[in-house]
């Protein structure tokens, strides 16, 4: 591993080459029919709204069904028409369709504000954008340009004041302010990754994730194209980024997704291109990451592209989505987070699990299976790390993201 600080260029140029990640998973199963029969049309509203009604999201302890939002592509054959709206039973895991939130293009990744009132979606297109939706009445609060191409990930800063997004096509990361209503302001910064140069087989940088570190002061951007995880400091007033360091994987690893251990000292990195994972040491003071040796994904050497890590709230287990092997790898987390031990894999029950997510209480795991157009659900045994299927798969067109609230 090599960690050092270099300057990434600030650029408004847009890059291409992002279609591989978008369409690679949409080869099969695009004819899957959505179980969400009704359609909800969202009127546009770019005004900042004060005194908005309470969101239609029950408290975590409330009985009864809970909301589930589903991301898709709207511009591919067999894709959806917007953000899927569903609900799930927190005990059985059964999903029931409720409709579609239209007026949002290619919402391939979703995130929710910490206060639960606003949903955010990327528009994974050449002219990349991010959109805010008020959940109380499912009203679109406005869309803002990321300045880049093909945004594929976004997250909300723990303060709720900033939206962070990653543009895969242009290899850039952006920051947007969030006002009191949950609406987005004009972009405050954008950084394009130009150093180091692209890794083997890559034609440019491909930012794949942009998240806040457990210390809350540092932002980490995972770039598949440059085999690098960048650390930034976010100015809490101006919303600007200053690079604080770089951590490099071995050439050709293609890092995709990073998940932190609840202890805040370690993180786990999924490397999409070389089908490996790695344990990373994290220094909260500097925000620097130290990437460890490659480890197996449980794919047994076949064609596989690991997608996303999840870590249980008690820090004892981690799960990895394997696209190709179509499984969920189970790891025991040992030595206070410093070690992963592969326990085995569980069939995901679908094709090409693009994204996975826990329910808020951690008792259910949802997998969005892109090629089969399904969402599968598992009961999670927090004590033993076992996964048990929870009923039949739920049909959702080109399912690329499942966000349970």
């Amino acid at each position: 591993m090599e960690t050092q600080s270099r300057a990434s260029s600030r650029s408004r140029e847009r890059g291409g080459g992002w279609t591989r990640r978008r369409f690679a998973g949409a080869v099969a199963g695009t004819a899957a029919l959505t179980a969400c029969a009704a359609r909800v049309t969202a009127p546009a509203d770019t005004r900042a709204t004060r005194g908005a009604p309470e969101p239609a999201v029950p408290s975590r302890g409330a009985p009864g069904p809970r909301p589930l939002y589903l991301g898709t592509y709207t511009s591919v054959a067999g894709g959806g028409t917007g953000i899927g709206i569903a609900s799930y039973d927190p005990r059985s895991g059964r999903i029931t369709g409720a409709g579609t939130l239209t007026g949002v293009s290619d919402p391939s990744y979703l995130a929710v504000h910490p206060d639960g009132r606003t949903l955010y979606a990327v528009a994974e297109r050449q002219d990349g954008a991010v959109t805010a939706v008020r959940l109380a009445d499912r009203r679109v609060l406005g869309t803002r340009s990321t300045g880049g191409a093909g945004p594929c990930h976004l997250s909300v800063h723990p303060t709720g004041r900033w939206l962070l997004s990653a543009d895969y096509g242009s290899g850039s990361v952006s920051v947007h302010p969030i006002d009191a209503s949950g609406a987005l302001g004009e972009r405050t910064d954008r950084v394009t990754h130009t150093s180091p140069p692209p890794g083997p087989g890559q034609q440019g940088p491909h930012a794949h994730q942009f998240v806040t570190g457990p210390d809350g002061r540092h932002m980490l951007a995972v770039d598949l194209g440059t085999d690098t995880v960048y650390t930034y400091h976010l100015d809490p007033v101006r919303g600007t980024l200053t690079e604080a360091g770089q951590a490099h994987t071995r050439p050709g690893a293609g890092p995709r997704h990073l998940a932190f251990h609840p202890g805040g000292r370690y993180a786990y990195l999924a490397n999409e291109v070389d089908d490996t994972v790695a344990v990373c040491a994290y220094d909260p003071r500097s925000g620097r990451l130290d990437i460890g040796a490659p480890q197996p994904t449980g794919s047994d050497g076949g064609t596989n592209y690991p997608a996303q890590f999840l870590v249980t709230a008690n820090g004892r287990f981690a799960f990895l989505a394997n696209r190709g092997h179509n499984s969920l790898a189970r790891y025991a987390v040992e030595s206070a987070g410093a070690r992963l031990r592969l326990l085995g894999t569980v069939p995901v029950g679908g094709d090409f699990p693009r994204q996975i997510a826990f329910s808020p209480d951690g008792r259910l795991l949802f997998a969005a299976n892109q090629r089969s157009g399904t969402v599968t659900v598992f009961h999670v045994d927090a004590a033993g790390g076992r996964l048990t299927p929870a009923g039949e798969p739920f049909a959702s067109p080109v399912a690329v993201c499942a966000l349970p609230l």
Side-chain angles (χ1 to χ4, degrees):
M1 191 286 306
E2 174 190 5
T3 302
Q4 62 189 84
S5 178
R6 300 189 182 119
S8 295
S9 74
R10 298 182 183 274
S11 170
R12 297 191 181 274
E13 296 180 358
R14 296 175 180 175
W18 59 280
T19 54
R20 180 193 67 80
R21 71 172 303 281
R22 179 177 181 176
F23 293 103
V27 176
T30 55
L33 298 177
T34 177
C36 304
R39 179 176 298 178
V40 178
T41 301
D45 181 4
T46 57
R47 296 170 299 172
T49 305
R50 294 185 179 181
E54 291 295 319
V57 180
S59 63
R60 291 190 180 185
R66 296 191 56 84
L68 175 67
Y69 294 93
L70 304 168
T72 185
Y73 288 118
T74 59
S75 60
V76 301
T81 57
I83 298 172
I85 302 171
S87 62
Y88 69 96
D89 185 308
R91 293 188 177 181
S92 69
R94 182 176 181 270
I95 300 174
T96 303
T100 302
L101 177 67
T102 60
V104 184
S105 302
D106 291 315
S108 65
Y109 202 87
L110 310 172
V112 69
H113 193 279
D115 66 12
R117 297 171 182 262
T118 312
L119 181 73
Y120 300 97
V122 301
E124 192 176 333
R125 296 191 165 192
Q126 183 68 22
D127 51 343
V130 286
T131 296
V133 178
R134 190 171 62 209
L135 291 179
D137 53 7
R138 293 171 183 155
R139 189 176 188 85
V140 174
L141 298 178
T143 297
R144 300 288 186 176
S145 170
T146 65
C152 63
H153 183 273
L154 47 69
S155 63
V156 183
H157 190 271
T159 62
R161 295 182 55 196
W162 309 102
L163 184 73
L164 314 174
S165 58
D167 294 307
Y168 181 89
S170 51
S172 52
V173 293
S174 300
V175 181
H176 287 82
I178 301 174
D179 70 18
S181 74
L184 299 171
E186 289 292 344
R187 186 176 66 249
T188 55
D189 206 357
R190 173 174 174 254
V191 179
T192 298
H193 299 149
T194 59
S195 177
Q202 303 294 333
Q203 297 180 347
H206 295 305
H208 219 303
Q209 183 191 31
F210 197 23
V211 294
T212 306
D215 54 279
R217 297 183 300 110
H218 297 98
M219 316 298 112
L220 292 95
V222 181
D223 196 299
L224 180 150
T226 62
D227 293 324
T228 302
V229 180
Y230 300 82
T231 297
Y232 296 98
H233 173 72
L234 174 67
D235 187 298
V237 176
R238 298 183 298 168
T240 54
L241 299 168
T242 303
E243 187 175 304
Q246 296 182 9
H248 304 284
T249 67
R250 64 179 182 173
R256 175 187 176 96
H257 186 271
L258 188 74
F260 282 92
H261 184 272
R265 295 285 182 171
Y266 297 95
Y268 312 109
L269 185 64
N271 295 314
E272 174 179 336
V273 178
D274 73 355
D275 188 23
T276 64
V277 301
V279 177
C280 307
Y282 179 73
D283 180 1
R285 293 172 298 178
S286 65
R288 300 284 181 97
L289 204 67
D290 187 345
I291 301 174
Q295 299 183 38
T297 63
S299 64
D300 302 323
T303 300
N304 186 59
Y305 307 99
Q308 183 172 357
F309 257 118
L310 290 179
V311 185
T312 57
N314 62 13
R316 295 180 57 188
F317 300 97
F319 304 103
L320 174 73
N322 280 321
R323 297 169 300 163
H325 193 252
N326 290 338
S327 66
L328 298 173
R330 299 167 51 245
Y331 295 88
V333 179
E334 301 173 337
S335 301
R339 190 171 73 171
L340 288 178
R341 177 167 57 88
L342 181 63
L343 298 174
T345 61
V346 174
V348 75
D351 191 357
F352 223 65
R354 168 79 168 267
Q355 177 262 356
I356 54 178
F358 286 133
S359 58
D361 61 10
R363 295 180 179 179
L364 297 172
L365 184 152
F366 295 76
N369 303 299
Q370 183 173 357
R371 289 181 178 173
S372 58
T374 57
V375 177
T376 48
V377 188
F378 295 82
H379 294 287
V380 180
D381 175 18
R386 291 180 294 274
L387 297 175
T388 306
E392 295 298 316
F394 175 77
S396 183
V398 190
V400 290
C401 184
L403 179 63
L405 301 183

